[in-house]
């Protein structure tokens, strides 16, 4: 899009519109209003919850009828105009990750100008990443839904969060604030050494975090360092995880390390926050039904429908996560439906030449920039990785030295393979096959105690 076109498109927008970060801040007031006017009531009131979720489902189906894929519109045409919306939704075809990758243009509604569209990129944990387009409601609900969760966990706006990461791209420490909810101290525990550990401990002690927050693997690495005596931090009021499925062994390992309640949030880039762990029933999750419609496929896989996205129709989407879908009778009294027994994505880390676990993101971003059909990274020992690549025969300028330096590795072996060598029985290809994973790290922590 040329600069003149962009300028014309922005003519009637606020001056901050070109900047997604500023638009996020601008959505805070509307998100707080939505929480106060809607979400803090609907989670307790089934009638109000049903009215909101059904109205949004009807609006979505109207969008599908006009802007959906050919398959979606054909399925809708076979239903009655007065049919129950839940029944109508059940007639629509299942959408898979492959559809998002191969046919994203068919899922776009065209209702939003390109300058209005917000874009989020999936992590690529279970296959090729894909860009998901959202409308402004994504930002507003991105404030309102966490407000519900934080209130349930006893957190007031302004609480202090210690965010742990293992990404070698990040500095050792970084302080930031969020207009909606919190102040944050981010510590890159992959860069904590014997020389700077006391400095980090003092930073954390002075900051006095209310919450320790990270992906399960990141929090497990922190737990390993605490158990090994490499780092000492005060126990927070709450331990919060997000991103990957948390198995029972990981829960036991974290409970043995931190004297704090543990809660988990289930979300996807395609939807934002989907469900969150009930404060009264461990490992049971409340679904944000005003934002996401949830059902089960015939084999137990989750089918998720985005009720608030007018930019891209993600309807009856199957992310290959599984769970048991429960009713509404919860000990906490909330009306929201519940999930239990979540099974889904779990990422691994790469162990560098010193055995330090590292987030795979720098290597992933490098490989995604190459003209490869498919690739996979394998590791069975610290400091050494094997990269399997599938390409069409053209010469690939593969800079192993760049990877060695970025990830502190001793060896990177590159091998060309056929696509069939990487595919699972289900036709997917895992991008990372690593021995430093959630299960092994949690088992190591449990055995070390």
């Amino acid at each position: 899009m040329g600069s003149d076109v962009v300028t014309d498109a922005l003519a009637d927008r606020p001056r901050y519109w070109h900047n997604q970060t500023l638009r996020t801040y601008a959505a805070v007031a509307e998100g707080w209003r939505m929480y106060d006017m809607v979400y803090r009531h609907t989670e307790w009131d089934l009638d109000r919850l049903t009215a909101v979720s059904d109205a949004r489902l009807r609006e979505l189906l109207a969008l599908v009828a006009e802007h959906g894929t050919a398959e979606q519109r054909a399925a809708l045409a076979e239903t009655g105009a007065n049919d129950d919306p839940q029944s109508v939704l059940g007639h629509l075809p299942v959408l898979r990750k492959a559809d998002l990758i191969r046919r994203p243009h068919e899922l776009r509604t065209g209702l939003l100008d390109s300058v209005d569209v917000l874009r989020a990129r999936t992590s690529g944990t279970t296959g090729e990443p894909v860009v998901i387009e959202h409308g402004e409601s994504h930002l507003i609900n991105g404030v309102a839904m966490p407000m519900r969760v934080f209130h349930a966990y006893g957190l007031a706006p302004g609480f202090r969060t210690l965010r742990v990461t293992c990404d070698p791209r990040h500095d050792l420490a970084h302080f930031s604030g969020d207009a909606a909810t919190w102040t944050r101290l981010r510590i890159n525990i992959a860069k904590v050494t014997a020389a700077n550990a006391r400095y980090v401990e003092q930073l954390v002690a002075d900051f006095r975090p209310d919450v320790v927050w990270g992906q399960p693997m990141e929090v497990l690495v922190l737990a390993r360092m605490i158990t090994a005596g490499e780092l000492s931090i005060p126990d927070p009021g709450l331990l919060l995880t997000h991103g990957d499925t948390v198995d029972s062994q990981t829960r036991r390992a974290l409970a043995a390390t931190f004297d704090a309640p543990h809660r988990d949030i289930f979300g996807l880039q395609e939807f934002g926050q989907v469900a969150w762990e009930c404060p009264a029933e461990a490992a049971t999750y409340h679904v944000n039904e005003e934002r996401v419609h949830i059902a089960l496929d015939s084999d137990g896989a989750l089918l998720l429908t985005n009720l608030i996205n007018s930019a891209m129709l993600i309807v009856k989407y199957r992310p290959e996560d599984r769970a048991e879908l429960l009713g509404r009778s919860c000990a906490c009294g909330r009306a929201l439906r519940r999930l239990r027994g979540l099974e889904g994505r779990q990422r691994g880390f790469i162990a560098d030449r010193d055995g330090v676990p590292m987030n795979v993101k720098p290597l992933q971003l490098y490989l995604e920039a190459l003209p490869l059909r498919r690739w996979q990274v394998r590791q069975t020992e610290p400091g050494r990785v094997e990269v399997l690549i599938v390409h069409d025969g053209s010469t690939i300028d593969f800079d192993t030295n760049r990877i060695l330096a970025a990830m502190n590795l001793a060896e990177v072996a590159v091998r060309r393979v056929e696509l069939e060598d990487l595919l699972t029985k289900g036709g997917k290809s895992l991008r990372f096959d690593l021995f430093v994973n959630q299960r092994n790290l949690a088992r190591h922590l449990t055995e070390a105690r």
Side-chain angles (χ1 to χ4, degrees):
M1 182 181 291
S3 58
D4 291 341
V5 177
V6 173
T7 302
D8 292 342
L10 288 170
D12 298 326
R13 272 64 167 192
R15 295 183 65 183
Y16 58 75
W17 206 252
H18 67 287
N19 186 304
Q20 184 166 331
T21 299
L22 292 178
R23 288 172 69 186
T24 301
Y25 278 75
V28 168
E30 183 62 21
W32 279 43
R33 187 197 68 80
M34 179 176 285
Y35 168 71
D36 188 56
M37 300 297 293
V38 181
Y39 294 155
R40 75 182 182 95
H41 304 289
T42 50
E43 65 178 304
W44 303 102
D45 187 329
L46 180 57
D47 290 338
R48 295 179 72 168
L49 172 64
T50 302
V52 170
S53 58
D54 278 1
R56 290 182 176 181
L57 179 55
R58 291 181 187 276
E59 292 172 0
L60 173 73
L61 292 175
L63 286 179
V64 173
E66 187 172 355
H67 301 280
T69 65
E71 295 90 343
Q72 289 172 337
R73 286 184 279 112
L76 274 182
E78 297 177 359
T79 64
N82 297 318
D83 284 359
D84 175 72
Q86 305 276 352
S87 175
V88 173
L89 181 62
H91 283 87
L92 295 180
V94 172
L95 182 70
R96 297 177 182 269
K97 180 71 173 283
D99 297 310
L100 296 183
I101 296 169
R102 298 169 188 161
R103 306 158 56 196
H105 58 284
E106 296 183 38
L107 303 173
R108 299 187 184 113
T109 63
L111 294 173
L112 292 158
D113 194 293
S114 60
V115 298
D116 296 318
V117 173
L118 304 166
R119 295 174 178 87
R121 195 166 185 267
T122 63
S123 67
T125 303
T126 59
E128 286 80 4
V130 64
V131 173
I132 306 298
E133 297 185 356
H134 296 276
E136 194 75 0
S137 62
H138 185 67
L139 294 180
I140 296 168
N141 282 271
V143 173
M145 288 300 182
M147 287 293 292
R148 159 186 283 172
V149 176
F150 298 146
H151 179 77
Y153 296 161
L155 298 171
F159 65 88
R160 296 179 298 277
T161 301
L162 175 62
R163 175 68 168 92
V164 293
T165 177
C166 295
D167 194 326
R169 298 172 300 167
H170 294 160
D171 294 332
L172 173 64
H174 177 74
F175 179 82
S176 62
D178 187 296
T181 46
W182 57 56
T183 53
R184 180 190 295 116
L185 172 63
R186 186 185 69 208
I187 296 295
N188 187 354
I189 49 181
K191 293 186 176 179
V192 174
T193 66
N196 62 30
R198 303 293 80 78
Y199 166 73
V200 172
E201 290 175 349
Q202 190 61 53
L203 275 181
V204 175
D206 291 342
F207 184 63
R208 294 180 291 115
D210 301 299
V211 179
V212 169
W213 193 343
Q215 295 174 357
M217 281 291 293
E218 294 167 334
V219 181
L220 281 171
V221 172
L222 174 62
R224 180 189 65 80
M225 297 179 72
I226 292 173
T227 301
E230 299 169 2
L231 191 66
S232 177
I233 66 169
D235 282 313
L238 177 69
L239 182 65
L240 194 58
T241 54
H242 74 283
D244 290 352
T245 303
V246 182
D247 57 39
S248 58
Q249 188 164 243
T250 295
R251 289 182 179 275
R252 289 195 296 272
L254 295 180
T257 305
F258 299 94
D259 185 17
H262 169 222
R263 304 284 183 260
D264 183 60
I265 294 175
F266 171 49
L268 302 169
Q269 290 286 20
E270 296 90 330
F271 298 86
Q273 185 190 103
V274 174
W276 47 282
E277 190 170 0
C278 177
E281 292 190 12
T284 298
Y285 295 72
H286 285 294
V287 179
N288 291 323
E289 293 185 72
E290 307 93 335
R291 181 179 194 168
V292 181
H293 179 280
I294 196 160
L296 296 182
D297 210 345
S298 57
D299 62 353
L302 291 176
L303 297 176
L304 306 177
T305 296
N306 194 320
L307 297 178
I308 64 169
N309 190 358
S310 59
M312 192 177 239
L313 298 175
I314 313 260
V315 178
K316 282 188 70 175
Y317 177 57
R318 179 178 165 127
E320 302 302 333
D321 297 295
R322 298 171 182 274
E324 178 186 0
L325 186 56
L326 306 178
R328 305 179 186 279
S329 179
C330 185
C332 71
R334 288 179 173 83
L336 300 165
R337 296 188 74 178
R338 299 171 296 151
L339 298 175
R340 187 167 59 200
L342 265 173
E343 296 179 6
R345 61 209 67 203
Q346 288 188 343
R347 73 199 72 202
F349 278 5
I350 289 175
D352 73 1
R353 65 200 308 164
D354 301 317
V356 176
M358 295 279 186
N359 192 299
V360 301
K361 204 65 179 180
L363 178 54
Q364 178 180 339
L365 291 174
Y366 175 71
L367 290 169
E368 287 171 356
L370 297 177
L372 300 172
R373 289 183 61 197
R374 203 74 64 96
W375 52 264
Q376 185 180 87
V377 177
R378 297 177 179 175
Q379 184 177 42
T380 58
E381 60 177 303
R384 290 176 168 78
V385 300
E386 181 182 34
V387 182
L388 309 180
I389 62 175
V390 179
H391 64 91
D392 297 322
S394 57
T395 302
I396 302 295
D397 185 15
F398 202 101
D399 189 356
T400 56
N401 289 327
R402 178 175 171 178
I403 300 173
L404 289 168
M407 304 296 293
N408 188 30
L409 297 171
E411 180 183 346
V412 176
V414 181
R415 180 160 58 93
R416 182 176 176 178
V417 298
E418 299 299 323
L419 179 60
E420 292 72 20
D421 298 327
L422 301 184
L423 297 179
T424 65
K425 292 181 179 179
K428 300 181 71 173
S429 63
L430 295 178
R431 299 199 130 201
F432 293 93
D433 183 7
L434 309 173
F435 75 96
V436 181
N437 53 39
Q438 190 180 139
R439 180 172 300 177
N440 290 340
L441 192 51
R443 182 172 61 245
H444 170 76
L445 271 171
T446 303
E447 294 173 351
R449 290 185 172 273

